[in-house]
Amino acid sequence: MFSLDQHLGGGDVAASVITSASGPSGQLPLTDEILRSWSSGDLFGLTQNAGMGWDPARMMGPQYLCLSTQGGVRDHDGTPIALGYHTGHWEVGLLVQAAAEQFSEAGGVPFAAFCSDPCDGRSQGTNGMFDSLPYRNDAAIVMRRLIRSLPRRRGVLGVATCDKGLPAMMLAVCGTKHLPSVIVPGGVTLPPTVGEDAGKVQTIGARYSQGEISLEQAGLEGCRACGSPGGGCQFLGTAATSQVVAEAMGLTVPHAALAPSGQPIWLDIARQSARSLMALDARGLTLADIVTDDSIYNAMLVHAACGGSTNLLLHIPAVAQAAGLRSPTVDDWHQVNKLVARFVDVLPNGPVGHPTVRLFLAGGVPEIMWHLRELGLLRGDAMTVAGASWNEILDAWPQSARRDALRQRLIESDRVDPDDVIIPPATAKKRGLTSTVCFPQGNLCPEGSVIKSTSIDPSVVGEDGVYRKAGPARVFVSERDAIAAIKGNHPRPVQAGDVVVLIGRGPLGSGMEETYQITSALKFLPWGKHVALVTDARFSGVSTGACIGHVGPEALAGGPIGRVQDGDQIEVVVDRIGLHGSVNLVGTADKSLTPVEAETLLASRSPHPQLAVDAKMPDDSRLWAALQQVGGGTWSGCVYDVEKIIATLDAGTKALQEKASD
């Protein structure tokens, strides 16, 4: 308990204050040329280095920045002194330390800076989700400012793990592509030996409310879901997909994504990454040589092969924009997914749903890309931060000791055939695995929408590979009300057969929140597969089911989804093989409508009476929503297009001036 008397009465502590100190011994290794040509800031930086205890004799080595998303404070033995937000940034300081030691051993001068990240799992269903997607842009800005604020850095080692921190890191290093940079993925946490994974455990509230589990079981499962203290979650959500995509782009050393956090192989990746960065620096190679249109294309191929998170449809275009490249369009995504059906079996996708560490053991990204090359799809001349092209890496991969040892380890430890995790594509096709994403259109989403079609429960899909759903709309303007109705804590609970329509949750309404609280509940409730969800919000990477998101235009931008009423008949059709789909209003509560009648009705209706910007949406996120809207909105990756924003502000200022002079 704080005591003012104790605080002000601490005379002994106050009396111990000293007012000067001798300072570091030795002298800076300055030369006439340095003093005449270096800026005062560069010179003062040396003074600061000495002040922090760096040996002056080692002061002039090349400077490398280790930029990470570290969070929390750990004791020397790893026990928590102050918690981080999530396991994904809890141990990454160990990666920074391993890399820094490598730089130092080679005569370099390592620096470390931190820009921590939030946990999307922690903020699900809370107002914290209003800051989730906006954080990515803000963090990328902060990271780029940190990079530029170390003027003599020779390169950047970016260490990050999770949903927004890793995409932000990719934006940051690609936005400073004149430098050599290497990304070190933070890896994954292990699944519990006995218990539920970190995706399923997020549904304990919904399952308990519906009587599916006991209070004791909920407490037990909630406690033991994370098998180890560090790393991203055990499923191929946005965190794991971002790691995979970063490697596919060539931003990491080979076979870096999804390594088990805290283990020797994980630390070795950091050391190898530091060596790779110094080698790039020595050769004069930068990210401009690595991140190209071909590397973006390869990342899209790997995303499709994995069945990755739909959030990467926001992040990959943003990375391309940061690198000054052409951003992939919806048509580009469609074409890639027509070419590549999923052949990776990892949570949350089936048929088995292996944890992500098994994907690493089965060969990870190199194994996937080897299959893609065999299919004739990979752009193998794309360079990587290893200083080698993908073709050179893949020529060596099948015979490598690393591949053999890890695949054998998977067989011995988990009794799992690696080819049942990364399935040869021809075999995957025979097992019924389909393409990852589809982009339905219709009178409720004239600009399009997104569904992770591979995640629809096969039992509700027709023999022809088409999901068909028609049912009454249950309209909600807040996720809180929707989840209450799904849990049964509502005057009108959601029932099998309903189509949940969640509106006003796009960028303008809530910062485009994730709605995994809803999608996870529907997955793990027995009747949930008979409910569809249509929303202008987005989904967590671990979401499954008939969940249609990114509906455009969003309700608050005048989209017709904002005019749906309770009881309207909604029809959803998703062809998982042909990759076509539609989401349409086909009737009211009283009668069926022709397509023309439906269009006319939607045009004549007023928006839902409760449709509004969420009253608790922070001004920071409102500003983000306005800026990204000018930059092209959701389909352009929610980016800031500086030239368009400036032009829009100039036009607005001119219009206001003309209005004032009238």
Side-chain angles (χ1 to χ4, degrees), residues 564-650:
V564 177
Q565 297 178 0
D566 264 353
D568 281 347
Q569 292 296 306
I570 309 298
E571 181 186 67
V572 177
V573 178
V574 178
D575 184 339
R576 300 202 307 168
I577 298 172
L579 295 187
H580 300 293
S582 60
V583 183
N584 287 302
L585 172 74
V586 296
T588 65
D590 303 318
K591 64 175 183 177
S592 299
L593 300 172
T594 67
V596 173
E597 289 172 334
E599 293 272 5
T600 302
L601 178 62
L602 285 170
S604 66
R605 279 180 176 173
S606 298
H608 191 285
Q610 294 178 308
L611 179 64
V613 175
D614 195 292
K616 295 182 179 179
M617 184 171 171
D619 286 345
D620 300 326
S621 297
R622 292 180 62 200
L623 177 60
W624 164 85
L627 293 175
Q628 65 84 37
Q629 188 87 345
V630 176
T634 301
W635 297 111
S636 293
C638 297
V639 297
Y640 297 157
D641 187 317
V642 175
E643 297 303 325
K644 286 184 179 179
I645 291 169
I646 291 174
T648 302
L649 290 173
D650 287 345

Side-chain angles (χ1 to χ4, degrees), residues 444 499-503 532-536 548 551 561 570 572 583:
L444 293 183
V499 178
V500 174
V501 180
L502 179 62
I503 63 175
L533 171 64
V534 181
T535 180
D536 49 10
I548 297 97
V551 165
I561 190 176
I570 309 298
V572 177
V583 183

Side-chain angles (χ1 to χ4, degrees), residues 293-295 297-298 301 377-383 390-391:
D293 290 332
D294 284 352
S295 60
Y297 183 79
N298 286 341
L301 290 175
L377 300 174
L378 191 73
R379 296 181 179 176
D381 290 333
M383 287 291 292
W390 270 112
N391 275 335

